[in-house]
Amino acid sequence: MNKADQVLTALKAIIDPDLGRDIVSLGFVRNLNVDEHVGVVTFEINLTTPACPVKDDFKREAEALVRALDWVTDVSVMMTAQPRTSGVEPRGKGLAGVQHILAVSSCKGGVGKSSTAVNLAFALAKAGAKVGIFDADIYGPSLPTMVRVPHAKLYVDMNQMIYPREYQGVNLMSFAFTGSGPEDAPAMMRGPMVSQVVNQLLTQTLWGELDYLVIDFPPGTGDIQITLAQIIPMTAAVIVTTPQKLSFVDVVKGITMFDTLKIPVVAVVENMSYLACENCGARQYPFGQGALRRLIDEYGFKNTYQIPIHADVSAFSDAGTPLVLAKPDHPVSEIYRYLAGNVVREISKIRYGESSTPELSITPDQQLQVTRGGKTHLVDPVVLRLACRCARCVDEWTGAQRLLPEHVATTIHPKKAVLVGNYAVAIDWSDGHHSLYPFDTI
Ligand code: ADP
C-alpha cells in the first residue's frame, strides 16, 4: 500500500457521528500531500459547514491517527468548509451566495421566536459560520431592538440592491431598517402584498456569502406564512413554542404547514419552559409539562429543546445585545449553542440525504411494508395498532395502555399509510382509527 493510501486508510477510522460514515468515503479529505522523503503529510478536511460541532475533534483525531504511522514525522491538517455556492436555488442576486435558509417560526406572537432566532444566529456565527438574520415579521419587527446597530440610512446601489446592516460579523435586515415602522405596514397590506414586500426585501438585500440565513418568520400558519414558505427556498425550519396546553396543537399546525411544503422541521424549541432556582438548580414548571413529551412520543421528534424563563434573556434582548454574545457562559447561552450545533448537524444530514426516511407501501394482502436503509420488512398490524400512543389508546395522565389486545380484531389492517414530515407515519386503520407513529416505532 503506498503512503497516501496508508494515510487514507488511517483516516477512515474517523466516523462522522451524524452521517454514520467515515470522512474519507464522505469525500471530506482533500488535497492530500505526502512528502515521502521527510515523512511530512498535509491535507484538508473539508466539512459541510465551518460551524461543524465536531470540527475540533476531527482535527485532533486526524493528527493523532496520521502521526501514529511509523514513517510520519509531521502532520498538518487544515479544516475547511464547502464552498458557499451550491446552496439554495438562487432567486435574484441577493441570495446567490446563501447556502442554507433556516426559518424560525411560531404559531403565536410573544413566545420568544425572535429571541431564539437572534441567539441561534449569533451562536452559529460564534461557531465559525457566516450568518445573516432576516426579520420577516413586518407587523412586529424586533431585530432593531434585539440587536442594536447605529441607525443610518440603508445604502441602495444603482441596481436597487440594498446593503444589509452588520453586527459582529452577522448581516442583518429588517423592514424597520427601511425607515418604515409597523405602522407603515397598514391593515390594507393584506396577505399577498405582505409576502411580496417581504420577498422583495429578502431578495434585494446583498447578503453576500452566507452559510446560514436565519429568517425570523412572521408568527402564524396563515396565507402569508404559507406563501412565504413557498417562495423562499428554505432548507429547514425551527419551531418555537411555549408549554401551555394549546400550544401543542399550534406546533402540530406549524409542522403540518412545513410538511406540506416539504420543509423539514429540524428542531422544536419550548421556550419559557421552566424556572430554575439560581442556588440549587431545581426546576419549577409553572405551565406544566407534557406537550414536549407528546411531541416526542407521537411525532418521534428527537430534537426538542427547553429554554427556561430567565430575566437575562429579556434584559439582554431589550438592551440590544444577544445573550450568547453578552454572556457566553450563561446557562441559557449554552442551550442556544447546543441548539445551534444540532441544527447544523440536522442540516448536514439533509444535505447528504442521510435522513433515513422510510418508504411505505401497503401490500396486496393489506400489510404495511417498510423499506428503510435498503432493508424491507412487514409490520405486524395487531402489534402496531396496539402501539398507538394517542389519547384514546393511552391514558394521558398515567401513560397506561387503554387499548387492550382483546379490543383489536386479528383481521385489523392499515388502509392508508403516509409519511408525516421527517419523523412520523400516519396510518388510517380498518377499524376507523387514525394513528400517528414515530419512525422508530415501526
Ligand atoms: P416573539 O418573537 O415570539 O414575539 P420575542 O422573542 O419578541 O417573542 O419575546 C417576547 C418577550 O419575551 C421579549 O420581551 C423577550 O425578551 C421575552 N423572552 C423571550 N424568551 C424569554 C425567556 N426564555 N425568558 C425570559 N424572557 C423571554
Side-chain angles (χ1 to χ4, degrees):
M1 199 190 291
N2 71 32
K3 291 191 166 152
D5 284 343
Q6 287 179 34
V7 172
L8 291 174
T9 307
L11 291 174
K12 277 189 170 197
I14 305 178
I15 308 290
D16 185 301
D18 300 309
L19 304 175
R21 276 161 59 195
D22 70 87
I23 60 167
V24 177
S25 62
L26 283 165
F28 288 1
V29 179
R30 299 196 181 167
N31 297 328
L32 172 61
N33 197 347
V34 176
D35 185 331
E36 304 207 3
H37 302 296
V38 284
V40 174
V41 180
T42 56
F43 56 92
E44 262 174 49
I45 299 182
N46 188 269
L47 301 166
T48 49
T49 161
C52 178
V54 287
K55 183 168 74 178
D56 296 340
D57 296 343
F58 279 1
K59 187 168 196 281
R60 236 187 338 267
E61 270 183 70
E63 280 168 354
L65 285 164
V66 176
R67 212 179 284 280
L69 296 170
D70 55 12
W71 50 267
V72 172
T73 55
D74 198 13
V75 191
S76 167
V77 185
M78 207 159 74
M79 302 304 287
T80 55
Q82 296 273 350
R84 303 173 181 123
T85 45
S86 56
V88 300
E89 217 178 282
R91 295 189 183 214
K93 201 169 149 204
L95 288 176
V98 177
Q99 186 85 349
H100 296 294
I101 299 184
L102 179 69
V104 178
S105 165
S106 69
C107 285
K108 287 203 173 77
V111 298
K113 169 181 57 66
S114 303
S115 317
T116 307
V118 164
N119 280 292
L120 170 62
F122 279 94
L124 288 168
K126 283 200 82 168
K130 278 293 289 165
V131 182
I133 307 174
F134 179 62
D135 178 6
D137 191 353
I138 77 168
Y139 287 111
S142 32
L143 192 60
T145 313
M146 293 193 174
V147 187
R148 208 147 294 165
V149 279
H151 193 77
K153 260 196 156 258
L154 284 180
Y155 179 71
V156 182
D157 76 6
M158 274 163 28
N159 302 314
Q160 295 300 305
M161 297 301 287
I162 310 164
Y163 283 77
R165 295 263 162 80
E166 193 245 287
Y167 186 77
Q168 305 244 343
V170 172
N171 287 341
L172 312 169
M173 182 53 75
S174 168
F175 187 61
F177 295 161
T178 63
S180 328
E183 64 283 2
D184 297 311
M188 64 171 204
M189 209 155 93
R190 292 279 173 231
M193 243 176 118
V194 173
S195 349
Q196 209 183 336
V197 168
V198 171
N199 192 38
Q200 197 176 355
L201 190 58
L202 173 70
T203 51
Q204 275 182 231
T205 298
L206 281 168
W207 290 105
E209 303 276 293
L210 294 186
D211 296 300
Y212 302 99
L213 175 59
V214 176
I215 301 198
D216 185 355
F217 224 58
T221 46
D223 286 350
I224 295 176
Q225 293 76 10
I226 294 175
T227 312
L228 282 177
Q230 276 168 334
I231 56 182
I232 301 172
M234 289 187 287
T235 309
V238 170
I239 293 184
V240 183
T241 180
T242 46
Q244 287 88 337
K245 247 196 162 185
L246 259 185
S247 63
F248 174 74
V249 178
D250 290 342
V251 175
V252 172
K253 271 196 215 155
I255 293 170
T256 311
M257 176 181 84
F258 286 112
D259 251 10
T260 319
L261 301 165
K262 305 260 175 288
I263 299 165
V265 174
V266 290
V268 173
V269 175
E270 188 183 73
N271 190 32
M272 311 194 204
S273 276
Y274 58 90
L275 279 157
C277 170
E278 298 263 316
N279 301 319
C280 67
R283 294 179 181 185
Q284 276 181 27
Y285 293 86
F287 305 116
Q289 296 184 69
L292 264 202
R293 190 70 254 160
R294 274 186 77 186
L295 214 54
I296 296 164
D297 288 347
E298 294 181 25
Y299 274 79
F301 265 113
K302 295 198 183 83
N303 299 316
T304 55
Y305 305 84
Q306 290 183 306
I307 297 177
I309 303 169
H310 200 296
D312 288 347
V313 177
S314 54
F316 284 95
S317 282
D318 292 347
T321 319
L323 186 72
V324 291
L325 292 185
K327 287 199 158 194
D329 298 330
H330 197 285
V332 180
S333 297
E334 258 169 51
I335 304 177
Y336 286 128
R337 267 200 304 279
Y338 180 63
L339 166 69
N342 283 338
V343 165
V344 166
R345 287 198 165 115
E346 288 301 309
I347 287 181
S348 83
K349 281 192 210 166
I350 297 168
R351 180 188 188 122
Y352 276 80
E354 298 280 335
S355 55
S356 48
T357 312
E359 279 171 35
L360 306 174
S361 58
I362 295 177
T363 61
D365 59 343
Q366 297 180 311
Q367 301 220 54
L368 176 66
Q369 181 174 285
V370 183
T371 305
R372 195 178 192 181
K375 290 187 189 132
T376 297
H377 69 277
L378 293 172
V379 183
D380 184 324
V382 175
V383 173
L384 190 60
R385 177 68 187 85
L386 281 167
C388 181
R389 304 278 309 159
C390 81
R392 265 175 64 195
C393 297
V394 174
D395 187 302
E396 269 191 87
W397 299 105
T398 63
Q401 193 76 25
R402 283 180 176 147
L403 179 80
L404 301 171
E406 53 268 35
H407 302 143
V408 179
T410 49
T411 52
I412 189 134
H413 55 270
K415 297 189 81 164
K416 192 173 159 201
V418 288
L419 295 176
V420 182
N422 268 21
Y423 2 78
V425 176
I427 295 184
D428 290 345
W429 290 102
S430 54
D431 63 358
H433 192 72
H434 177 80
S435 301
L436 195 61
Y437 300 96
F439 285 167
D440 293 349
T441 314
I442 59 163

